[in-house]
Amino acid sequence: MTPHRWPLRVYYEDTDMAGIVYHANYLKYIERARSEMVREAGIDQAAMRAEGRVFVVARIEADYLRPAFYDDRLVVETQATSFRPSRFVMSQVVTREAVPLFRAEVTVALTDMRGRPQRLGPEIAALFAGS
C-alpha cells in the first residue's frame, strides 16, 4: 500500500520557548494523521464506538531525528505495516521537504469498551490490502 500523506503547518502554540516543536506535539500530529487515514479508508470510528469497539494505542516506539520550527510545513506519512487478528502496526514519519524529522512505529489494538481485545474485521483488514 502507498503511504497516506497528511499535511500540516506548525503554529506558535506547537512550539517551546526556542520556537522548536515541543516533543509531545509529534504524538498529536501522528494521531491526527492516523485518524485521517482511517476516515479516508471509509472506517467510521464514531459508529464503531456506538457498537462498543474502539481503537487504542498499545505501543509507540519513537525517534526524534531533527527539529521542526514555527511556520514549517510538514507532512505525516502513515503506512500500515503488519496485521494480526486484534492489532496492527503503522509506520509513521513526519517530514519537512521530504527530510525525516520524527519516526514512529505505532501498535494499535481493537478493544471493547472495557479494554478487552476484539478481532479486527474485514473493513480494517482492507487498510492492509496490497501492503
Side-chain angles (χ1 to χ4, degrees), residues 4-82:
H4 175 268
R5 296 173 50 84
W6 183 69
L8 68 107
R9 181 183 296 275
V10 175
Y11 294 100
Y12 182 74
E13 68 182 12
D14 297 327
T15 63
D16 61 17
M17 292 179 66
I20 298 170
V21 171
Y22 182 69
H23 72 278
N25 286 326
Y26 287 99
L27 299 178
K28 292 179 182 182
Y29 297 161
I30 66 174
E31 173 70 29
R32 292 171 190 160
R34 285 193 310 277
S35 293
E36 291 301 324
M37 178 184 173
V38 168
R39 178 180 287 115
E40 290 175 23
I43 298 171
D44 184 344
Q45 292 188 73
M48 286 176 57
R49 180 173 164 68
E51 296 167 356
R53 301 180 310 148
V54 292
F55 290 123
V56 298
V57 172
R59 181 174 191 275
I60 295 179
E61 183 177 340
D63 295 306
Y64 296 85
L65 307 170
R66 292 178 178 81
F69 303 94
Y70 169 73
D71 211 33
D72 279 353
R73 290 177 184 248
L74 308 178
V75 174
V76 181
E77 295 180 4
T78 304
Q79 186 167 14
T81 59
S82 68

